[in-house]
């Protein structure tokens, strides 16, 4: 069993919104450690005000002398950009470029113009030399540095993500609406300080791909996703239409289908399937992955099976790929439903041609998505929320078992949202840092207010 965590409060979660805007599974790195400092990004109002919300960025030194305990959090608010749209898609994303120490943020999108800013060089490389102030960041930009604002994909952005690759940083986004969209990939060079456009790596045919994440290990970029088929509705082809921005329907999760996989050994210029065959490369006839690309489907899962979008993926220390999702299908049933929806741990063995297997987990109550994480010893942690009751459960799947076992190791109450994990800290220090919402409150706020918190579990004695 895991010991109970310590937790610290970063700020107040918004109190008067219909839609939650913090702690969503598609925030790939809302909490991340870099060179001994931990960073977290979230939305919060100022003081006790309800509106508007502002992007808040927090940092702390993890080994503060003389006792080598984490230092206190420093939190800055970027008050030049008020966030006012009540939409759960409009989260904030965080990325750090190792080569030049720049911190990157992208925020407030649901089929909107790109909103992005980044810091001065060396802010994360030499943090003790910089005061923690908004003056270290650019204003909100409508383009990526080095690319023009006229770049077509910047006009209709949803779900941006960052992914660290060696000294540089990848950035991806969806261009288009639910059920009718494509994914684009960009590379930030820490040497030049500019982005280059890699291309439209995922193309939806009367559908759009929803990625579980981008994972980079040992020179290989891994990508898993599900498709959402498109259902036409009145006004869908009207450029002024906004019905697709509602939280559910007409193109909702009931139209999700198939779990797919591809990888790239050249940072997205070409892609191979699970059998090691190149299926897309720049300058070739097939320059993008689409629904008909050979060998991309790991599990054929029909619509209406409970499959969700953007749950979680990680790559283990040996290069095996792990995906968390949920379905109502019984394992090995050939597509027959068991009725109840259960989380599933899907696992692909390392290497080209590695076999995919699935492991059923506990029932999935509610729509809140879970998280996967890799420990320092190579085990997999599965963090599962029960959003209806404010419970959170952690299970462990061991490297020694080939990830076939799953054992409950912790359960807690008063926790909400979709848990986010600091993957670098867990893998380096064997400390699990979770970003979540909790039934606590900062001084001066009303009882019942949820707070944005960090829970720290020590996985060693």
């Amino acid at each position: 069993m895991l010991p109970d965590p310590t937790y610290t409060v970063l700020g107040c979660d918004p109190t008067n919104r219909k839609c939650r805007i913090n702690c969503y599974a598609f925030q790939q790195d809302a909490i991340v450690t870099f060179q001994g400092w931990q960073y977290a990004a979230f939305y919060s109002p100022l003081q006790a005000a309800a509106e508007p919300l502002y992007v808040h960025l927090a940092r702390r030194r993890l080994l503060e002398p003389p006792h080598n305990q984490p230092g206190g959090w420093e939190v800055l608010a970027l008050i030049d950009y008020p966030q006012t749209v009540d939409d759960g898609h409009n989260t904030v994303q965080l990325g750090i470029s190792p080569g030049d120490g720049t911190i990157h943020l992208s925020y407030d999108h649901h089929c909107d113009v790109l909103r992005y800013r980044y810091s001065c060089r060396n802010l994360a490389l030499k943090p003790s030399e910089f005061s923690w102030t908004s003056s270290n960041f650019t204003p909100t930009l409508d383009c990526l540095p080095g690319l023009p604002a006229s770049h077509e994909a910047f006009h209709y952005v949803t779900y941006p993500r960052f992914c660290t690759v060696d000294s540089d940083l990848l950035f991806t986004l969806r261009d288009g609406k639910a059920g009718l969209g494509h994914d684009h990939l960009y590379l930030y060079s820490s040497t030049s300080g500019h982005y280059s456009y890699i291309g439209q790596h995922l193309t939806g045919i009367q559908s759009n791909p929803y990625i579980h994440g981008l994972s980079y290990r040992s020179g290989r970029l891994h990508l898993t996703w599900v498709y959402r088929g498109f259902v036409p509705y009145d006004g869908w082809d009207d450029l002024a239409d906004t019905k697709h921005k509602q939280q559910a329907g007409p193109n909702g999760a009931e139209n999700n289908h198939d779990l797919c996989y591809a990888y790239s050994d050249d940072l997205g210029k070409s892609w191979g399937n699970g059998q090691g065959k190149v299926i897309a490369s720049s300058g070739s006839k097939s320059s993008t992955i689409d629904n008909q690309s050979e060998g991309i489907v790991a599990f054929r899962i029909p619509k209406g099976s409970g499959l969700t979008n953007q749950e979680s993926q990680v790559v283990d220390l040996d290069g095996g790929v792990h995906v968390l999702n949920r379905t109502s299908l019984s394992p090995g049933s050939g597509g027959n439903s068991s009725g109840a929806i259960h989380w599933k741990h899907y696992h692909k063995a390392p290497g080209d041609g590695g076999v995919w297997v699935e492991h059923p987990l506990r029932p999935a109550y509610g729509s809140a998505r879970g998280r996967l994480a890799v420990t320092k010893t190579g085990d997999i942690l599965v963090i599962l929320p029960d959003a209806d009751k404010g419970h959170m459960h952690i299970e462990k799947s061991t490297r020694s078992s080939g990830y076939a076992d799953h054992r409950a190791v912790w359960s807690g109450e008063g926790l909400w949202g979709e848990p986010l994990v600091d993957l670098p800290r867990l893998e380096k220090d064997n400390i699990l840092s979770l970003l979540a919402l909790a039934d606590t409150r900062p001084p001066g706020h009303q009882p019942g207010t949820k707070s944005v918190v960090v829970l720290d579990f020590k996985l060693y004695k």
Side-chain angles (χ1 to χ4, degrees):
M1 299 295 292
L2 296 183
D4 284 334
T6 59
Y7 72 83
T8 50
V9 175
L10 297 183
C12 179
D13 192 55
T15 59
N16 66 325
R17 294 289 184 93
K18 177 182 177 182
C19 301
R20 176 168 45 86
I21 198 168
N22 289 316
C23 295
Y24 271 102
F26 45 83
Q27 294 177 269
Q28 180 151 324
D29 282 323
I31 180 167
V32 65
T33 290
F34 179 72
Q35 294 201 350
W37 287 67
Q38 191 172 49
Y39 301 85
F42 61 99
Y43 283 111
S44 191
L46 297 180
Q47 302 301 323
E51 291 287 347
L53 307 181
Y54 297 93
V55 172
H56 284 59
L57 189 61
R59 73 172 183 178
R60 64 173 172 174
R61 188 176 180 182
L62 290 177
L63 296 178
E64 188 87 1
H67 305 295
N68 287 333
Q69 295 296 320
W73 287 98
E74 300 174 84
V75 183
L76 67 86
L78 300 169
I79 61 174
D80 60 331
Y81 183 86
Q83 199 283 332
T84 59
V85 178
D86 189 359
D87 189 326
H89 296 79
N90 292 41
T91 56
V92 55
Q93 322 297 326
L94 168 65
I96 297 176
S97 170
D100 63 4
T102 50
I103 299 173
H104 302 247
L105 299 166
S106 192
Y107 42 89
D108 203 20
H109 305 98
H110 190 187
C111 302
D112 293 296
V113 66
L114 179 68
R115 295 174 180 123
Y116 168 93
R117 70 170 90 207
Y118 66 113
S119 77
C120 59
R121 297 173 72 90
N122 293 318
L123 183 60
L125 283 173
K126 302 176 181 179
S128 60
E129 297 182 9
F130 292 86
S131 58
W132 194 235
T133 65
S134 58
S135 62
N136 292 318
F137 290 82
T138 67
T140 297
L141 307 175
D142 60 1
C143 61
L144 299 176
L147 295 171
S150 58
H151 180 67
E152 186 175 359
F154 294 163
H155 301 161
Y156 216 60
V157 176
T158 311
Y159 303 128
R161 292 176 185 254
F162 296 99
C163 176
T164 297
V165 289
D166 302 323
S167 296
D168 299 328
L169 193 65
L170 287 172
F171 180 76
T172 184
L173 59 86
R174 188 189 81 189
D175 170 28
K177 63 182 69 175
L180 281 179
H182 317 296
D183 280 25
H184 300 259
L185 194 61
Y186 307 81
L187 178 65
Y188 174 82
S189 166
S190 59
T191 303
S192 68
H194 288 163
Y195 277 91
S196 57
Y197 179 49
I198 296 175
Q200 182 174 301
H201 61 299
L202 285 175
T203 297
I205 301 175
Q206 287 297 299
S207 67
N208 80 263
Y210 280 100
I211 67 172
H212 294 94
L214 289 170
S215 300
Y216 182 75
R217 188 180 294 280
S218 303
R220 176 164 287 189
L221 184 66
H222 300 267
L223 181 65
T224 63
W225 69 97
V226 303
Y227 282 111
R228 178 174 296 180
F230 181 68
V231 177
Y233 57 91
D234 289 343
W236 72 268
D237 54 351
D238 182 352
L239 294 179
D241 168 63
T242 60
K243 288 192 290 294
H244 62 280
K245 288 195 174 191
Q246 61 194 30
Q247 299 300 303
N251 284 276
E254 67 277 5
N255 298 311
N256 293 343
H257 63 94
D258 294 344
L259 175 61
C260 302
Y261 168 76
Y263 73 89
S264 176
D265 290 335
D266 54 11
L267 299 183
K269 297 182 181 66
S270 63
W271 293 90
N273 63 22
Q275 295 75 50
K277 181 177 181 178
V278 175
I279 54 174
S281 61
S282 57
S284 70
K285 182 178 180 181
S286 300
S287 60
T288 185
I289 303 169
D290 63 30
N291 310 50
Q292 299 170 354
S293 295
E294 179 183 352
I296 60 172
V297 177
F299 287 89
R300 189 71 67 182
I301 301 171
K303 296 178 183 179
S305 300
L307 187 69
T308 194
N309 43 283
Q310 303 155 301
E311 190 132 27
S312 185
Q313 76 170 45
V314 293
V315 176
D316 64 42
L317 302 185
D318 303 308
V321 182
H322 301 257
V323 175
L324 177 67
N325 212 302
R326 81 279 300 277
T327 74
S328 60
L329 304 182
S330 301
S333 67
N336 294 321
S337 174
S338 63
I341 295 175
H342 285 70
W343 267 297
K344 301 287 184 67
H345 174 189
Y346 300 96
H347 170 223
K348 176 187 174 297
D352 296 339
V355 176
W356 283 94
V357 295
E358 64 174 311
H359 305 288
L361 307 177
R362 66 173 62 229
Y365 298 110
S367 60
R369 288 162 286 200
R371 203 71 164 181
L372 297 174
V374 184
T375 71
K376 187 175 183 178
T377 55
D379 296 331
I380 297 292
L381 296 180
V382 188
I383 303 104
L384 303 174
D386 180 350
D388 293 338
K389 297 181 179 179
H391 295 175
M392 198 166 289
H393 311 278
I394 300 179
E395 298 185 359
K396 183 168 76 170
S397 177
T398 61
R399 185 184 192 180
S400 60
S401 75
Y403 305 104
D405 62 345
H406 293 81
R407 180 168 58 91
V409 293
W410 187 81
S411 182
E413 299 182 357
L415 297 168
W416 308 87
E418 298 175 351
L420 304 177
V421 176
D422 184 340
L423 294 176
R425 189 183 191 199
L426 178 58
E427 191 169 319
K428 182 177 184 296
D429 300 331
N430 228 24
I431 296 177
L432 172 66
S433 286
L434 286 183
L435 187 70
L437 306 179
D439 287 331
T440 61
R441 60 187 178 95
H445 289 80
Q446 296 298 315
T449 297
K450 291 182 176 63
S451 295
V452 182
V453 301
V454 176
L455 290 80
D456 291 319
F457 298 81
K458 291 184 177 181
L459 272 64
Y460 56 88
K461 296 182 179 180

